[in-house]
């Protein structure tokens, strides 16, 4: 009997990559952190110091990554007055920069842009004065917005993430379909005619092409994400982020390490699966009686290595995303891993049914086509059902941990994306139930009667294509979820806004813009020349949350300097978009009033 073709090449390369992958996994598992929140600044926010400080420092609640030089200090004219070098005076939870010597008296604005443990950029800033307060140039929000990346980079990042998820799903799902569906189905129904050899070889050839496409796309998308992360972190364009120094800094981060290992895994798997003989197939018997040798099982050592490689790919979204940066990571990482595997089995299996299986069934001109199709479907159907159950269970638990309240589900971008994803999954479940309860029984009956699939087969194929289209949308929503901070994540920094009322420009800062006590600063300047407006006789501030019928609540503002008012403990009790009204009375008859919408997380 002729042996099955099942030889792989370049195993030494794969073993080396696997070793590096496991070491990287051990290192990465040690640092599960939360979303970065600014806790303290030096000098303090809004303070007027007598002498120029040697440095400006931001302190966060967790280690942050800021090797991109995005810590800056500006004077009232918008000119940078920092040393353009990041320092770490208090360890990895602090970032700062030194100032140019002999700065003149006046007001300065310091900004930061760092990367938190979940790979999200976090930005903000504060105002301080040297000697005496003076005119303020651009606001914190205007200065930090200047370093934000453009829409093209954001969209490209989302597409790259989506392609990576699709590649992982296809790679894992195709392999599971081969082992759990195709080979058992082929063994159960294969005859001795040459058509079965043609069908087996056609399936192997098409599956190899699909796997190569998936692994190649995964390799390219992982490398692109490293560059795009550099662009996002530094606030520069994609082409500028191709600078070796920027790439080197990204690779030092948790995000860069995970994606570099994942790219290496994709590359190694691509080499392995490029071999023509990796899919077991039927071969004619050359010794003894005429016939075909059945497809044998793949070598356990080979499967173990492939399982380890693909296992890391399934784990990589958790290691570089919210699961490893939110508490409890010990629960979220395994849940995310199971979620990815279940989705992969479902997506990859459907893709194999639609794109690969027809290359085998079309080899038949007899009812054997129906027998082979039914043999595959009756094995894939319970596998898909189990995947759906795991998806729903893990998704519900993850959603509860990340969202926690109905208000967060409705009023946050992360919550709405989760809601859309679950609605899409419910539609997919309905399609799957239709196929399982109606299409499959009809095909079984046709197989028993020795008839071709006919119209039921065409209807099933259209339904499967619809499922794949919906799953593609689900992958897109999943890629979008990664770009959002979880709904229960505390605010990443202060909120700042600028309003012009008549001749007065009002600059408002609310810090940290999260539920609880916040420090609120109001700076007033003449819109014409930027000088401080110090003619206010009385300042009244009211806060309200219209969506919850809260307020208006009057808060007391203390004058901290010319045109500068402070509310040291503004209590925002509920998350939502608060309306804060500022009324500056300048005479018995004149008053300047404006309203600022402050989002509180």
């Amino acid at each position: 009997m002729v042996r099955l073709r099942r030889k792989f090449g370049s195993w030494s390369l794969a073993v080396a990559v696997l070793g590096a992958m496991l070491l990287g996994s051990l290192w990465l598992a040690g640092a599960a952190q939360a979303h970065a929140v600014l806790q303290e600044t030096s000098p303090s926010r809004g303070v007027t110091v007598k002498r120029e400080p040697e440095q400006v420092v931001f302190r966060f609640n967790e280690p942050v990554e800021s090797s991109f030089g995005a810590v800056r200090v500006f004077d009232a004219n918008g000119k940078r007055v920092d040393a353009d070098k990041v320092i770490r005076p208090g360890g990895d939870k602090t970032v700062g920069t030194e100032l140019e010597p002999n700065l003149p008296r006046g007001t300065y604005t310091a900004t930061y842009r760092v990367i938190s443990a979940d790979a999200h950029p976090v930005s903000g800033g504060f105002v301080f004065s040297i000697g005496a307060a003076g005119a303020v140039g651009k606001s914190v929000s205007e200065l930090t917005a200047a370093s934000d990346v453009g829409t093209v980079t954001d969209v490209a990042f989302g597409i790259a993430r989506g392609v990576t998820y699709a590649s992982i799903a296809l790679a894992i799902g195709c392999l599971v379909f081969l082992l759990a569906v195709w080979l058992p189905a082929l063994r159960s129904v294969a005859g001795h005619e040459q058509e079965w050899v043609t069908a087996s070889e056609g399936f192997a050839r098409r599956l190899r092409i699909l796997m190569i496409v998936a692994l190649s796309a995964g390799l390219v998308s992982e490398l692109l994400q490293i560059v795009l992360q550099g662009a996002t972190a530094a606030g520069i364009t994609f082409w500028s982020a191709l600078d070796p120094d920027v790439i080197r800094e990204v690779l030092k981060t948790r995000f860069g390490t995970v994606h570099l290992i994942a790219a290496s895994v994709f590359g190694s798997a691509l080499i392995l699966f490029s071999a023509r003989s990796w899919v077991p197939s039927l071969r004619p018997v050359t010794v003894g009686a005429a016939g075909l040798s059945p497809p044998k099982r793949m070598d356990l050592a080979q499967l173990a290595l492939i399982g380890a490689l693909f296992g890391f790919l399934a784990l990589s979204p958790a290691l570089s995303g919210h699961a490893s940066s939110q508490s409890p990571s010990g629960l979220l990482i395994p849940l995310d891993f199971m979620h990815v595997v279940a989705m992969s089995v479902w997506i990859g299996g459907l893709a194999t049914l639609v794109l690969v299986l027809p290359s085998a069934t079309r080899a038949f001109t007899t009812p054997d086509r129906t027998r082979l199709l039914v043999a595959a479907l009756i094995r894939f159907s319970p596998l898909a059902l189990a995947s759906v159950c795991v998806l729903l269970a893990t998704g519900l638990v993850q959603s509860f941990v990340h969202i926690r309240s109905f208000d967060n589900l409705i009023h946050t971008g992360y919550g709405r994306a989760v809601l859309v994803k679950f609605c899409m999954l419910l539609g997919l479940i309905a399609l799957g139930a239709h196929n399982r309860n109606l299409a499959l029984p009809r095909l079984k009956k046709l197989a028993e009667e020795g008839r071709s699939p006919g119209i039921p087969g065409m209807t099933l194929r259209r339904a499967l294509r619809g499922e794949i289209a919906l799953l593609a949308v689900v992958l897109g929503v999943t890629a979008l979820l990664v770009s959002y901070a979880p709904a229960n994540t505390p605010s990443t920094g202060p909120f700042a806004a600028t309003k012009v009322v008549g001749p007065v420009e009002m600059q408002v800062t609310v810090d940290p813009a999260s539920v609880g006590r916040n420090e609120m600063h109001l700076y007033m300047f003449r819109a014409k020349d930027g000088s401080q407006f110090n003619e206010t006789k009385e300042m009244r501030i009211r806060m309200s949350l219209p969506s919850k019928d809260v307020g208006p609540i009057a808060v007391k503002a203390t004058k901290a300097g010319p045109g500068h008012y402070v509310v040291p403990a503004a209590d925002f009790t509920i998350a939502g978009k608060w309306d804060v009204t500022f009324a500056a009375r300048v005479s018995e008859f004149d008053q300047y009033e404006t309203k600022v919408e402050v989002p509180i997380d």
Side-chain angles (χ1 to χ4, degrees):
M1 301 199 35
V2 177
R3 295 180 180 176
L4 291 171
R5 299 172 297 169
R6 51 194 177 107
K7 206 177 242 187
F8 283 85
S10 305
W11 290 101
S12 57
L13 172 63
V15 171
V17 172
L18 178 60
M21 177 190 72
L22 293 175
L23 289 175
S25 300
L26 290 174
W27 176 77
L28 290 165
Q33 303 291 337
H35 202 64
V37 177
L38 181 65
Q39 291 187 321
E40 183 182 357
T41 67
S42 177
S44 300
R45 304 179 186 94
V47 72
T48 299
V49 295
K50 294 181 179 180
R51 296 187 179 88
E52 175 186 340
E54 294 183 0
Q55 53 192 221
V56 171
V57 181
F58 300 89
R59 182 180 300 277
F60 298 86
N61 68 324
E62 65 163 47
V64 293
E65 298 160 356
S66 181
S67 300
F68 305 97
V71 180
R72 300 165 182 170
V73 182
F74 301 86
D75 64 14
N77 298 318
K79 177 187 175 183
R80 288 186 63 177
V81 294
D82 58 86
D84 195 20
K85 180 182 179 181
V86 173
I87 59 175
R88 298 277 194 165
D92 57 4
K93 292 185 179 180
T94 62
V95 294
T97 187
E98 296 178 346
L99 298 176
E100 293 179 356
N102 304 316
L103 291 178
R105 292 157 56 97
T107 299
Y108 296 85
T109 304
T111 65
Y112 65 88
R113 184 179 177 86
V114 297
I115 302 298
S116 62
D118 60 3
H120 285 145
V122 179
S123 60
F126 71 101
V127 173
F128 69 96
S129 301
I130 300 175
V136 176
K138 293 183 178 179
S139 66
V140 170
S141 58
E142 291 174 317
L143 291 171
T144 54
S147 63
D148 287 342
V149 296
T151 303
V152 173
T153 300
D154 285 336
V155 171
F157 213 157
I159 293 174
R161 280 193 295 263
V163 171
T164 296
Y165 298 154
S167 299
I168 293 172
L170 286 175
I172 295 174
C174 286
L175 184 63
V176 171
F177 189 94
L178 170 69
L179 299 175
V181 177
W182 171 250
L183 293 180
L186 193 60
R187 292 189 192 99
S188 67
V189 298
H192 300 288
E193 297 82 6
Q194 179 61 33
E195 289 176 329
W196 289 99
V197 175
T198 304
S200 178
E201 291 178 346
F203 182 92
R205 182 171 57 253
R206 185 68 67 87
L207 186 66
R208 175 174 169 268
I209 292 173
L210 183 58
M211 185 69 80
I212 289 174
V213 170
L215 295 174
S216 299
L219 173 60
V220 173
S221 63
E222 290 285 9
L223 295 176
L224 285 176
Q225 285 191 75
I226 293 174
V227 180
L228 290 165
Q229 178 71 353
T232 302
I236 56 180
T237 66
F238 173 85
W239 305 109
S240 300
L242 290 172
D243 186 306
D245 290 335
V246 175
I247 300 297
R248 192 178 303 114
E249 294 298 338
V250 175
L251 295 180
K252 292 178 182 178
T253 67
R254 179 189 188 87
F255 178 96
T257 303
V258 171
H259 287 274
L260 180 62
I261 296 174
S264 301
V265 170
F266 272 119
S268 300
L270 181 60
I271 294 173
L272 298 178
F273 286 94
S274 295
R276 292 182 177 275
S277 58
W278 70 271
V279 181
S281 56
L282 294 170
R283 295 294 299 274
V285 176
T286 58
V287 179
L292 303 176
S293 62
K296 295 182 180 179
R297 291 175 175 81
M298 298 174 68
D299 182 81
L300 290 179
Q302 297 171 356
L303 284 178
L305 180 55
I306 296 170
L309 292 172
F310 283 6
F312 181 82
L313 292 180
L315 188 62
S316 61
L319 293 177
S320 63
H322 297 140
S324 62
S325 62
Q326 296 288 302
S327 179
S329 59
L331 171 66
L332 291 174
I333 290 177
L335 283 175
D336 195 87
F337 175 79
M338 290 188 291
H339 196 79
V340 171
V341 170
M343 179 65 81
S344 299
V345 171
W346 193 7
I347 293 178
L350 288 173
T352 308
L353 279 174
V354 173
L355 301 176
V356 180
L357 190 60
S359 63
T361 57
R362 71 168 58 102
F364 300 102
T365 57
T366 67
D368 286 337
R369 174 184 297 183
T370 311
R371 293 174 56 221
L372 180 58
L373 178 60
V374 170
L377 287 173
I378 61 176
R379 287 165 174 80
F380 178 70
S381 182
L383 199 62
L385 180 61
S387 297
V388 170
C389 294
V390 173
L391 273 174
L392 288 177
T394 56
L396 287 171
V397 176
Q398 287 175 306
S399 298
F400 174 77
V401 172
H402 289 316
I403 297 175
R404 296 296 177 97
S405 71
F406 182 77
D407 190 68
N408 283 339
L409 181 66
I410 302 298
H411 295 106
T412 66
Y414 187 92
R416 288 190 292 269
V418 168
L419 194 59
V420 170
K421 182 177 178 180
F422 268 101
C423 289
M424 300 295 292
L425 284 175
L426 290 176
L428 284 164
I429 291 171
L431 275 175
H434 174 272
N435 295 336
R436 181 182 177 89
N437 297 326
L438 295 178
L440 186 54
R442 292 175 184 173
L443 288 171
K444 284 182 179 179
K445 184 177 180 180
L446 291 173
E448 292 170 357
E449 295 173 354
R451 297 165 59 188
S452 62
I455 294 177
M458 295 176 61
T459 303
L460 174 65
R461 190 170 185 182
R462 292 194 188 101
L464 293 176
R465 287 173 176 172
E467 285 191 54
I468 292 176
L470 284 175
L471 281 169
V473 177
V474 171
L475 285 178
V477 175
T478 303
L480 183 65
L481 278 173
V482 177
S483 67
Y484 287 124
N488 65 336
T489 300
S491 174
T492 58
F495 165 83
T498 300
K499 295 280 188 175
V500 177
V501 187
V504 179
E505 178 183 280
M506 297 185 180
Q507 295 184 0
V508 180
T509 300
V510 179
D511 188 19
S514 61
V515 173
R517 291 191 172 185
N518 288 253
E519 187 173 290
M520 188 186 305
H521 290 264
L522 172 65
Y523 298 91
M524 302 179 66
F525 307 95
R526 298 183 188 277
K528 185 176 181 180
D529 57 12
S531 61
Q532 291 169 317
F533 184 86
N534 197 32
E535 299 174 14
T536 302
K537 307 299 182 183
E538 180 185 9
M539 174 62 66
R540 294 193 301 272
I541 302 177
R542 301 185 304 276
M543 308 188 315
S544 62
L545 183 61
S547 63
K548 300 292 184 180
D549 293 327
V550 176
I553 302 170
V555 295
K556 183 178 180 181
T558 302
K559 190 171 184 179
H564 179 200
Y565 293 85
V566 179
V567 180
D571 196 3
F572 293 92
T573 55
I574 305 174
K577 293 182 179 179
W578 286 71
D579 289 338
V580 181
T581 302
F582 300 89
R585 184 176 65 81
V586 297
S587 70
E588 187 176 349
F589 304 103
D590 296 323
Q591 177 173 286
Y592 301 128
E593 182 173 322
T594 188
K595 182 170 64 176
V596 178
E597 188 177 74
V598 180
I600 299 295
D601 296 329

